[in-house]
Amino acid sequence: MDLEFTKEEQEFRDQARTWLRDHLPTEQRPAMGQPMREFDLAWQRTLHEGGWAGINWPTEFGGRGLTDIEQMIWYSEFARADPPFTLNNSCTFVGNNHGGPTIMASGSDQQKADYLPPILRGEVVWCQGFSEPNSGSDLASLSTKGVIDGDELVVTGQKIWTSYADVADYQELLVRTDPSAPKHKGISWVICDMKTPGIEVRTIDTMAHHTDFAEVFYDEVRIPLANVVGEINDGWRVAMSTLSFERGTAFMADQIELAATVEALIGEARNRTDARGRARIDDDEIARRLATARAEVAALRSMTVAGISRTRRTGMPGPEGSMVRAFHGELHQRVYQLGMDILGTDALALTPIDGDGNWTGPYLQSFAYTIGGGTTDIQRNIVGERVLGLPRPPR
């Protein structure tokens, strides 16, 4: 594994830097609702028109067929351009980073033709319907049911923590289609049109003042059997590929943005003073924590590159992605706690401080990073069982 960029990768970096300089929007992204959706889709269309959509999607599906390393370079250059919005919070994230790749890996030719091009062209928004009120970390215990009726599935139940459900066109939905089978065996992965009668969406206002999350209720929602990805009752296998993408390369953008956040914090520590008028960075403990944070984001980058190298050999992200996911979630929280400590009482503001950015909202949001996408405990169990070969814990 080589951690240095090749000549071709360096040239790609220069191309990305130039294109972003000329095309990156300068206006702030709307916080919610249809204006947010239109902003994100407009940016996706700009990427598509410029040839920058689906960098690591295969060319047969409309992408550029480039490597995950080049995808990481793209994310790095995006963060370096100091954009007024983040990539990981885009409502196009699910379609681009794990809904679309899952359909590529397990969908039929017709599903690939129908659903992949609109994702890249910036025409649709996808959301994820996995978690339920009583089935979060133990995803296999989900109870939303899908009953086969002719050539349709009739879905009844509830999902929660569904990002952007209020503005989504489609949902990657897990339903229980065989209640008599072992819990991992009776699940199906389904493409759900969010405009189907019987769907109700209720947004959730979080403590970070985000309204991205929602509850989704299904009252005898009829979905064509043709929308099942893979086979009926094969949804657990399909879902594991989805979560492999989510825990593997899908969070690269967030990792790159976290590295930029650490550098911003170093600048804050140089410019801010304590009660004695001393620069915050001259405090030995603050300096130590900043140095540790910078080293840890570098380690996270190396772990990600190692995962990319491994995926090149196997063709599919593996359970090692859970190591990256667990480390990233805990590191994200430590970085934003450090930010709060550096800013002191200024951190209590819920609005940007002197135009330099809002730290309180991201700090509150950081608590979700060891929960979303599978809790840290679940990630550690995956690493223990599937990477280290340890026995499963007693139930």
Side-chain angles (χ1 to χ4, degrees), residues 268 272 343 346 349-360 362:
E268 291 280 357
R272 292 183 176 272
L343 267 66
D346 283 344
L350 286 173
T351 54
I353 301 168
D354 300 327
D356 292 332
N358 179 354
W359 290 94
T360 306

Side-chain angles (χ1 to χ4, degrees), residues 97-215:
N97 291 283
H98 46 88
T102 301
I103 293 174
M104 290 181 217
S106 301
S108 67
D109 289 342
Q110 190 62 53
Q111 288 167 344
K112 293 170 185 176
D114 289 344
Y115 295 106
L116 296 179
I119 292 174
L120 286 193
R121 292 197 299 256
E123 297 172 358
V124 294
V125 170
W126 282 66
C127 63
Q128 185 182 73
F130 281 20
S131 295
E132 297 181 3
N134 296 312
S135 301
S137 295
D138 184 14
L139 182 59
S141 68
L142 65 88
S143 60
T144 296
K145 64 181 181 180
V147 178
I148 297 176
D149 182 17
D151 60 357
E152 293 179 319
L153 275 179
V154 182
V155 175
T156 303
Q158 178 187 358
K159 298 293 180 177
I160 198 167
W161 308 122
T162 302
S163 299
Y164 305 115
D166 58 323
V167 296
D169 301 287
Y170 296 102
Q171 181 181 60
E172 46 182 31
L173 176 63
L174 286 185
V175 296
R176 185 162 300 286
T177 42
D178 186 353
S180 65
K183 64 180 185 178
H184 291 85
K185 302 294 185 181
I187 295 172
S188 298
W189 199 106
V190 187
I191 300 168
C192 176
D193 186 333
M194 292 296 287
K195 298 179 179 62
T196 306
I199 295 177
E200 179 186 359
V201 177
R202 302 177 190 171
T203 58
I204 300 171
D205 191 0
T206 71
M207 67 179 182
H209 297 280
H210 288 191
T211 57
D212 299 344
F213 292 125
E215 296 177 277

Side-chain angles (χ1 to χ4, degrees), residues 1-17 67-78 80 252 256 298 301-302 304-306 308 312:
M1 180 180 65
D2 189 354
L3 296 181
E4 298 298 324
F5 292 143
T6 65
K7 178 182 177 182
E8 290 75 19
E9 289 165 347
Q10 291 171 346
E11 291 173 350
F12 175 81
R13 180 193 61 193
D14 294 339
Q15 294 168 7
R17 184 174 298 179
T67 67
D68 287 332
I69 291 292
E70 286 160 315
Q71 177 87 323
M72 187 176 71
I73 292 171
W74 164 257
Y75 289 147
S76 299
E77 289 305 313
F78 183 88
R80 178 186 176 277
M252 282 197 299
I256 297 298
R301 175 184 178 275
S302 295
T304 303
V305 172
I308 291 170
R312 277 180 174 175

